[in-house]
Amino acid sequence: MGAEARLKELNITLPPPATPVANYVGAVRVGNLLFVSGHGPIRSDGKPMARGKVGRELSVEQGYQVAREVGLSLLATTRAQLGSLDKVKRVVKVLGMVNSAEDFGDLPKVINGFSDLMVQVFGEATGKHARSAVGMAGLPMGIPVEIEMVLEIE
């Protein structure tokens, strides 16, 4: 089953593709790779749907949900670039950045919100990826999570 059919099966509707908030583009294709810019939990009006530090204002579970929402936004940008998520051959590399409290160490659990979504949508073989999950002192507009990814595409 392809990713587009799996989205329907999971009853997942993607948001409109995010509009870059500064001087960059949402994705760049180089050969058979698509580099998707960092996305955060930004609504279509350009305002964050979540703010704060994970481990202080947000729990691990809340951070996980934010990371999942960011994943949906990344998928929306990918679909807009490719025309269909079925053109994704592999989620290759992910950088998950968490706006975290100084002593917060459960960064991988937060970014699992994104990673679990990729496996649900693409399956194990295509959705499992190399990944870094890092803590940041701050992120743009005080958002709790920003994620970027590299995809192998048709």
Side-chain angles (χ1 to χ4, degrees):
M1 175 183 301
E4 293 290 345
R6 198 166 284 119
L7 282 176
K8 287 181 183 167
E9 180 182 276
L10 295 168
N11 200 25
I12 294 174
T13 303
L14 297 181
T19 302
V21 297
N23 189 16
Y24 62 93
V25 295
V28 172
R29 181 178 183 158
V30 178
N32 68 338
L33 296 177
L34 186 68
F35 294 82
V36 187
S37 295
H39 281 53
I42 308 298
R43 298 186 308 225
S44 59
D45 65 3
K47 295 188 175 146
M49 62 179 70
R51 289 181 195 226
K53 290 189 175 285
V54 182
R56 192 166 66 201
E57 291 89 10
L58 285 87
S59 67
V60 171
E61 295 77 20
Q62 289 170 313
Y64 177 100
Q65 289 303 319
V66 170
R68 186 178 190 286
E69 291 297 318
V70 172
L72 294 172
S73 181
L74 283 158
L75 291 176
T77 295
T78 300
R79 180 193 273 163
Q81 290 289 315
L82 301 177
S84 171
L85 294 178
D86 292 336
K87 293 184 179 179
V88 173
K89 291 174 72 175
R90 181 80 195 252
V91 181
V92 177
K93 175 70 169 96
V94 171
L95 173 59
M97 297 162 274
V98 180
N99 185 359
S100 57
E102 196 172 297
D103 59 347
F104 183 74
D106 283 334
L107 307 159
K109 290 180 182 177
V110 172
I111 301 303
N112 277 348
F114 168 87
S115 296
D116 292 349
L117 175 67
M118 294 303 110
V119 171
Q120 286 178 331
V121 171
F122 294 110
E124 287 278 331
T126 302
K128 281 270 187 170
H129 48 268
R131 183 183 91 178
S132 299
V134 297
M136 301 290 186
L139 288 171
M141 296 178 279
I143 60 174
V145 174
E146 181 175 346
I147 301 171
E148 64 180 47
M149 68 179 173
V150 179
L151 303 169
E152 180 185 14
I153 57 175
E154 293 180 359

